[in-house]
Amino acid sequence: MGRMPKPIETPVPSRAELIDHLVRTRIAGQVATPRENNLSHYRKLANGDRHYWLGLELGDRWSDEQDVLAVMAERCGVVDDAEHRQGQDTIDPELTVAALDRMAARLHKAALDRQSVLLATGHPGGLLDVHRATAAALRAAGCEIVVIPAGLTADEASVWQFADVAVLERGATLWHTHSPAPMAAILDALAAAGRPQPDLVVADHGWAGCAAQRGLDAVGYADCNDPALFLAEAEGTLQVAVPLDDHVRDPRFYDPMVAYLLSAAGLTEA
């Protein structure tokens, strides 16, 4: 039997090359998420709709949607003009790469200290392989990838671990979810089993928000219509929120971004 071919490795782009790639693939730049959708989500968060809080406790600190817009312009790069009500909106690719650099620094620390890391996604159609590749690199560097307890459920679905990444599964399908309940189920089950909480959580959506709200070190990815994680970063609850379109046309478009992230974290030689 012949040898299995090695997987094709994505070259590590320079910062300028990555920025160009992010814009061309619409991971950043002029993204597909319309302005109307962004503003609607900012308004609903400000009005106290907990679906948009992503597991965070925001109190009444962000009850003015203009304050939410100001943070999103600063940390995500959406258009800062409050009169821009419809049409195109943007994510600043420079902010995306700067956040990737901050995430890389935290991943580097995790590898140096051989920390335990839990990875999870509420956007498996777009980000599952981003998290899988990160988990593989951290494991190779000596980190413990947290194995979640068996038999967990949340939101009338199963909480599984697939390719080292926690996901929500229902009806043989991986589900897109903003809910914090699956992460809460994992953290509660770890505690009930007498197991330690993760040293670091790498996630998105409510998975990241729940972990950060519980005081864990957490970093994550967030789209321009998911303001809660950016507010949490602004308040210091979440360590890093990377702005990007979290479901572009082809998930392979994220590969150069992951190559850049892991190289910046010093994990490519692990």
Side-chain angles (χ1 to χ4, degrees):
M1 182 180 295
R3 292 182 178 178
M4 293 292 291
K6 291 183 178 180
I8 298 174
E9 294 185 2
T10 303
V12 178
S14 67
R15 184 185 184 90
E17 289 169 341
L18 179 58
I19 287 173
D20 178 69
H21 172 80
L22 295 174
V23 172
R24 283 189 294 104
T25 57
R26 300 184 74 183
I27 295 172
Q30 293 193 344
V31 293
T33 309
R35 179 68 166 190
E36 299 93 320
N37 184 260
N38 284 346
L39 295 181
S40 172
H41 287 200
Y42 304 169
R43 185 179 313 111
K44 289 174 180 177
L45 178 146
N47 288 340
D49 187 334
R50 285 181 171 267
H51 175 78
Y52 298 93
W53 287 18
L54 302 182
L56 294 153
E57 291 299 330
L58 302 178
D60 59 359
R61 299 187 299 280
W62 300 100
S63 57
D64 186 337
E65 65 181 279
Q66 298 307 316
D67 291 340
V68 178
L69 175 60
V71 170
M72 292 303 293
E74 176 189 12
R75 293 182 177 268
C76 186
V78 301
V79 176
D80 62 1
D81 181 4
E83 298 306 313
H84 178 51
R85 309 298 301 176
Q86 59 185 3
Q88 185 69 54
D89 213 339
T90 56
I91 293 175
D92 185 341
E94 294 278 359
L95 293 177
T96 303
V97 178
L100 288 170
D101 288 337
R102 297 196 302 276
M103 180 182 283
R106 185 60 186 85
L107 296 179
H108 182 68
K109 173 177 170 53
L112 282 179
D113 296 343
R114 301 290 197 270
Q115 292 185 336
S116 62
V117 185
L118 174 62
L119 299 100
T121 185
H123 228 308
L127 299 179
L128 178 61
D129 204 47
V130 171
H131 292 299
R132 180 211 58 79
T134 305
L138 289 168
R139 185 190 296 279
C143 288
E144 173 198 351
I145 303 303
V146 175
V147 176
I148 71 171
L152 299 182
T153 60
D155 297 330
E156 301 180 340
S158 298
V159 184
W160 282 4
Q161 204 161 21
F162 183 71
D164 280 335
V165 184
V167 293
L168 193 67
E169 185 274 344
R170 184 187 300 160
T173 300
L174 303 186
W175 275 66
H176 171 215
T177 177
H178 288 71
S179 173
M183 178 59 77
I186 294 173
L187 299 179
D188 290 345
L190 289 172
R195 294 172 55 189
Q197 298 290 286
D199 296 316
L200 175 65
V201 172
V202 182
D204 49 69
H205 286 181
W207 303 81
C210 175
Q213 184 61 45
R214 293 199 180 197
L216 300 178
D217 280 9
V219 298
Y221 301 95
D223 208 329
C224 55
N225 63 353
D226 292 327
L229 295 189
F230 296 102
L231 302 181
E233 184 186 31
E235 292 189 330
T237 309
L238 184 79
Q239 293 194 334
V240 182
V242 178
L244 48 66
D245 186 317
D246 55 16
H247 198 150
V248 291
R249 180 169 52 86
D250 184 346
R252 290 273 71 84
F253 287 164
Y254 296 111
D255 288 356
M257 181 191 80
V258 175
Y260 177 93
L261 171 69
L262 298 182
S263 176
L267 296 175
T268 52
E269 302 302 320

